[in-house]
């Protein structure tokens, strides 16, 4: 027999052990993630009384794939528009937590007598929370649609970006033992550049490809395509020097803007659950009782400090950002753990040899303990809030609990000079990122031309091709005008405004010329001009002249730049496609108070089968039904006497808080996947039509089987013929063997009246090839 690879036995051990422990934890009404960690400890190398895994390398790879799918799933439920909406709040909160935990970790390390580099790395490791742990806790506790969950996910994204910058800072400190501000700025610009390129390129390309292939997509092909895109972005992020988790999240966020988002989430969730289980089991495998015993008091001190200061700093940050105390505590208590980025930071310190070896196992132990406690920390938010509200003075209570209460009213936005400049510089940054990406792509393409075409023709062709590819975007940055009427109004206000606006337009012109000159100079360099007997500095002036001529030509081509307009229209259409499929789009002026949400009506919902006028949507929740999607049919603005059926997809309009309160009554979930069912009293019986039976020559419809005995005749044996599902007009003949389905008590009555020797016959199971209808 061929020997199986060790991975097979390892996976069997992991999944069977995880399955048993999670069943026990579900029975104990505890979070499933804790069961995975216990399972990992049992099969890990530090527990001697249980079989252990053999191929650690393969399991680590599987666990990393699990982290990728966890972040991909988070991205599918995320939206860049949501991040824009909560951007100010999560930015203030994440920065507050980062500064507080870095300082606290540094001081705690000093108190423990550690070296300065140990203290710095400890602060960095304690400042980053675990996205995967919080996401899994949200899944287990069904908190994804709570109001605070959007802020939490947004902050986790910001923290992951902070972690990337921390890695740059710590790498610099480890190598040079000093801080290099310019390198940090360069890394930040590089990160912003890649995020913009990934976002704009992804939003333009991915939905376009999906739209083209939509009619060919099945569940199988959609699964393969979505997972392939996920790993493609993971590879690109790794090439750019960023984590696989960030790449998976970005691709999930891009796909979240497509019409296929819900279907992709559905088909990839089982994959995420499988690999996610391996990830959390691998975390449990790192539990080492010897480390816990040897460094127990350091681990205890760091864990207690983390459990207190990390949620506290997050809560303070949320209060500073303008949230009320309840939302601040619900969100803040989620951030009570450290995770995968802390391990990466610790590994970085060990690889440079700047931290002591004991720090890594201590951080791993703290991570496991806080991971175990995270669900309980999240659950403690509301009881803690209620306790604080009872104890604080009344004036504090009013200030902390009445924020964001009531409706926010916005009038039309008035464009001023500040908003104009902000819009202009934001557009310049976005266009620059896109232009640089296009230029780099064109340089890559032109490298083949330079290799296979002789000079100087290769340089001339490459220059023309590069400028042609980048022209639409250079034109947009230099000469595309939006809000032209508003711009003229601002220029008429004062000479200062006019001068400032003209300077902005001149800056855009100069940037376009500089980029054009850089492209020309790259190909038409000194080597090119030397072949034409043109020396320095004359060829520089010639290239500048070419760049100016090209820029003026771009300006003259403004009426012909329809190609760029099509690109921009396609991008905006892709970005807003899901929103445009709604009955209507809520204007920005109303988005603080008005929200559209689609819910699927569960069969067990109290509203299933009710007319719209019979529901309490308006009276108790102040929401209205906008549309109902039933199969391929969409009923817009249904009338009051419209009946709601199970699995209807209902779009409601109302305040976000009211919709959140109503959601559990519309979408009713049963924690038990396969519900228990009582044994049916319906069975199959047979009765023979005897020669003196009153049924002879009586039609089935007149026999009383259905009317009197609630029985359903499913077959008649007549000689060698077997009549399945006989017609209602068929008449009974002597010696017919009638098979019928009925409840036991009704069948017994029927058989006593119709025949002398009739009994239930289990051999009727031979009929189970057909799906039997229930009795009438």
């Amino acid at each position: 027999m061929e020997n199986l690879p060790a991975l097979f036995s390892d996976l069997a051990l992991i999944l069977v052990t995880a399955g048993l422990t999670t069943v026990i934890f579900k029975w104990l009404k505890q979070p499933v993630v804790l069961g995975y960690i216990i399972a990992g400890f049992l099969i890990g190398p530090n527990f001697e009384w249980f079989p252990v895994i053999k191929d650690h390398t393969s399991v680590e790879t599987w666990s990393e794939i699990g982290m990728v799918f966890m972040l991909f799933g988070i991205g599918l439920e995320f939206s860049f528009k949501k991040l824009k909406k909560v951007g100010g709040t999560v930015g203030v909160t994440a920065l507050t937590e980062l500064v507080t935990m870095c300082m606290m970790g540094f001081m705690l390390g000093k108190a423990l007598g550690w070296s300065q580099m140990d203290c710095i790395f400890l602060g960095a490791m304690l400042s980053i929370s675990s996205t995967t742990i919080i996401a899994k806790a949200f899944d287990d506790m069904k908190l994804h649609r709570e109001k605070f969950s959007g802020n939490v996910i947004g902050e986790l994204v910001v923290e992951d970006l902070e972690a990337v910058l921390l890695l740059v800072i710590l790498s610099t400190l480890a190598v040079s033992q000093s801080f290099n501000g310019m390198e940090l700025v360069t890394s930040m610009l590089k990160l912003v550049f890649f995020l913009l390129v990934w976002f704009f390129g992804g939003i333009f390309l991915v939905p376009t490809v999906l739209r083209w292939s939509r009619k060919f997509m099945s569940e199988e092909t959609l699964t393969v395509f979505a997972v392939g895109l996920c790993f493609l972005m993971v590879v690109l992020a790794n090439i750019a020097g960023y984590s696989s988790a960030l790449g998976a999240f970005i691709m999930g966020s891009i796909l979240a803007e497509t019409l296929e988002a819900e279907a992709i989430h559905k088909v990839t969730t089982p994959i995420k659950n499988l690999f996610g289980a391996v990830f959390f089991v691998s975390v449990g495998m790192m539990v080492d009782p010897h480390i816990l015993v040897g460094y127990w008091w350091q681990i205890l001190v760091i864990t207690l400090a983390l459990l207190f200061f990390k949620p506290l700093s997050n809560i303070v940050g949320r209060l500073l950002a303008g949230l009320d105390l309840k939302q601040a505590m619900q969100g803040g208590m989620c951030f009570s753990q450290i995770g995968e980025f802390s391990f990466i930071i610790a590994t970085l310190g060990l690889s440079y040899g700047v931290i002591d070896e004991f720090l890594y196992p201590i951080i791993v132990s703290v991570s496991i303990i806080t991971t175990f406690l995270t669900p309980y920390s999240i659950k403690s938010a509301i009881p803690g809030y209620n306790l604080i509200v009872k104890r604080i003075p009344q004036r504090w209570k009013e200030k902390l609990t009445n924020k964001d209460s009531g409706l926010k009213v916005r009038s039309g936005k008035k464009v001023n000079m500040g908003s104009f400049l902000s819009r202009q510089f934001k557009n310049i940054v976005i266009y620059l990122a896109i232009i640089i990406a296009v230029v780099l792509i064109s340089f890559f393409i032109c490298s083949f031309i330079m290799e296979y075409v002789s000079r100087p023709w290769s340089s001339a062709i490459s220059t023309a091709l590069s400028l042609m590819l980048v022209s639409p975007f250079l034109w947009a940055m230099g000469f595309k005008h939006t809000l032209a009427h508003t711009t003229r109004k601002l220029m008429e206000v004062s000479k200062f405004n006019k001068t400032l606006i003209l300077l902005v337009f001149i800056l855009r012109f100069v940037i376009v010329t500089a980029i054009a000159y850089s492209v020309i100079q790259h190909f038409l360099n000194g080597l090119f001009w030397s072949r034409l007997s043109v020396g320095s500095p004359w060829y520089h002036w010639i290239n500048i002249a070419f760049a100016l001529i090209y820029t003026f030509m771009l300006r003259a081509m403004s009426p012909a730049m329809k190609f760029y307009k099509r690109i921009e229209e396609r991008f905006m259409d892709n970005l807003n496609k899901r929103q445009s499929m709604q009955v209507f789009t809520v204007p920005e002026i109303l988005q603080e108070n008005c929200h559209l949400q689609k819910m699927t009506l569960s069969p067990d919902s109290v509203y299933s089968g009710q007319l719209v006028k019979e529901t309490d949507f308006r009276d108790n929740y102040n929401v209205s039904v906008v549309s109902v999607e039933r199969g391929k049919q969409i009923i817009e603005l249904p009338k009051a006497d419209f009946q709601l059926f199970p699995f209807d997809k209902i779009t409601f309009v109302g305040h976000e808080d009211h919709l959140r309160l109503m959601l559990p009554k519309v979408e009713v979930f049963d924690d038990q996947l396969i519900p228990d069912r009582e044994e049916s009293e319906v069975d199959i019986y047979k009765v023979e039509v005897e020669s003196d039976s009153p049924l002879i020559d009586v039609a089935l419809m007149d026999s009383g089987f259905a009317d009197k005995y609630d029985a359903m005749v499913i077959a008649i044996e007549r000689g060698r013929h077997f009549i399945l599902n006989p017609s209602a007009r068929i008449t009974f003949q002597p010696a017919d063997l009638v098979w019928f389905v009925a409840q036991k008590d009704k069948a017994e009555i029927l058989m006593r009246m119709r025949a002398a020797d009739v009994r239930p016959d289990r051999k009727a199971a031979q009929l189970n090839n057909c799906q039997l209808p229930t009795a009438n």
Side-chain angles (χ1 to χ4, degrees), residues 155-168:
E155 185 179 345
L156 289 169
V157 175
V158 176
E159 284 197 5
D160 286 348
L161 299 179
E162 289 176 346
V164 173
L165 297 178
L166 278 176
L167 290 174
V168 175

Side-chain angles (χ1 to χ4, degrees), residues 53-116:
I53 66 167
K54 302 173 184 177
D55 189 354
H56 287 270
T57 303
S58 297
V59 173
E60 288 175 4
T61 302
W62 276 58
S63 68
E64 188 170 352
I65 294 174
M67 185 174 65
V68 165
F69 276 109
M70 292 287 290
L71 270 295
F72 181 66
I74 294 171
L76 283 173
E77 297 176 358
F78 192 69
S79 168
F80 286 100
K81 295 175 184 176
K82 290 181 181 178
L83 181 60
K84 179 182 177 182
K85 183 178 178 181
V86 301
T89 301
V90 300
V92 172
T93 307
L95 184 61
T96 303
E97 182 185 340
L98 175 69
V99 173
T100 302
M101 295 310 298
C102 284
M103 293 175 58
M104 191 278 297
F106 183 83
M107 292 186 291
L108 184 60
K110 285 293 185 182
L112 294 172
W114 294 353
S115 68
Q116 182 158 323

Side-chain angles (χ1 to χ4, degrees), residues 554-565:
L554 273 184
R555 177 68 182 88
M557 291 171 60
S558 293
M561 277 296 175
K562 296 179 180 179
F563 175 69
Y564 173 79
K565 294 177 181 177

Side-chain angles (χ1 to χ4, degrees), residues 332-603:
M333 295 306 292
C334 298
F335 294 83
S336 58
Q337 78 296 116
I338 53 177
E340 55 279 357
F341 265 115
S342 301
F343 304 156
I344 295 172
I345 292 172
T347 304
L348 177 72
L350 287 174
S351 65
Y352 283 112
V354 295
I355 64 173
D356 292 309
E357 293 185 359
F358 66 82
L359 189 54
Y360 186 87
I362 287 178
I363 285 300
V364 169
S365 300
V366 171
S367 172
I368 292 168
I369 295 171
T370 53
T371 296
F372 194 89
L373 296 175
T374 293
Y376 301 106
S377 176
I378 296 174
K379 288 180 180 179
S380 68
I382 296 301
Y385 166 76
N386 294 332
L387 181 63
I388 292 174
V389 168
K390 290 179 182 178
R391 300 292 179 87
I392 61 176
Q394 183 63 32
R395 66 178 185 277
W396 288 18
K397 187 185 301 183
E398 292 176 356
K399 291 181 180 180
L400 293 175
T401 58
N402 290 334
K403 295 183 179 182
D404 292 336
S405 61
L407 299 180
K408 293 183 178 180
V409 180
R410 286 184 178 181
S411 58
K413 289 187 177 180
K414 184 178 180 180
V415 179
N416 53 32
M417 201 61 200
S419 62
F420 172 81
L421 292 176
S422 174
R423 183 186 183 92
Q424 289 291 320
F425 285 114
K426 181 181 71 174
N427 289 341
I428 288 174
V429 170
I430 293 172
Y431 286 132
L432 268 177
I434 298 173
I435 288 168
I436 292 173
V438 174
V439 168
L440 292 176
I441 293 172
S442 68
F443 283 0
F444 175 76
I445 296 173
C446 291
S447 64
F448 296 99
I449 298 176
M450 299 293 290
E451 183 176 354
Y452 294 107
V453 179
S454 61
R455 296 176 185 270
W457 294 108
S458 60
S459 298
I461 295 172
S462 298
T463 303
L465 179 62
S466 297
L467 291 177
M468 183 180 69
L469 291 175
V470 81
S471 288
F473 306 101
L474 284 176
W475 172 83
M477 185 172 72
F479 308 110
K480 182 175 179 287
H481 294 305
T482 57
L483 302 175
H485 177 72
T486 303
T487 304
R488 285 195 296 269
K489 289 289 185 182
L490 287 173
M491 294 177 71
E492 292 172 0
V493 171
S494 65
K495 290 184 178 180
F496 176 77
N497 281 6
K498 184 175 182 179
T499 303
L500 203 57
I501 291 172
L502 289 175
L503 287 175
V504 171
F505 288 158
I506 292 172
L507 174 65
R508 291 168 58 180
F509 182 90
V510 170
I511 292 175
V512 171
T513 305
I515 294 173
Y517 171 77
S518 299
V519 173
I520 294 171
Q521 182 70 17
H522 180 77
F523 295 108
L524 307 185
N525 49 27
L527 181 62
F528 170 83
W529 289 108
S530 64
R531 292 175 177 269
L532 302 178
S533 301
V534 179
S536 178
W538 294 107
Y539 76 84
H540 290 293
W541 291 107
I542 295 174
N543 286 345
I544 291 173
F546 281 163
L548 286 170
I549 292 171
Y550 167 80
T551 306
F552 282 112
M553 288 176 60
L554 273 184
R555 177 68 182 88
M557 291 171 60
S558 293
M561 277 296 175
K562 296 179 180 179
F563 175 69
Y564 173 79
K565 294 177 181 177
R566 287 198 298 270
I567 294 176
E568 189 174 81
E569 288 172 0
R570 173 58 59 85
F571 174 82
M572 295 306 298
D573 181 59
N574 290 344
L575 182 62
N576 298 314
K577 192 65 177 178
R578 287 191 72 188
Q579 190 175 5
S580 65
M581 295 301 290
Q582 296 174 344
V583 180
F584 58 86
T585 301
V586 178
E588 188 175 357
I589 191 174
L590 298 178
Q591 286 181 5
E592 290 287 350
N593 307 315
C594 189
H595 186 69
L596 285 175
Q597 185 168 342
K598 184 181 290 187
M599 305 180 193
T600 302
L601 186 62
S602 301

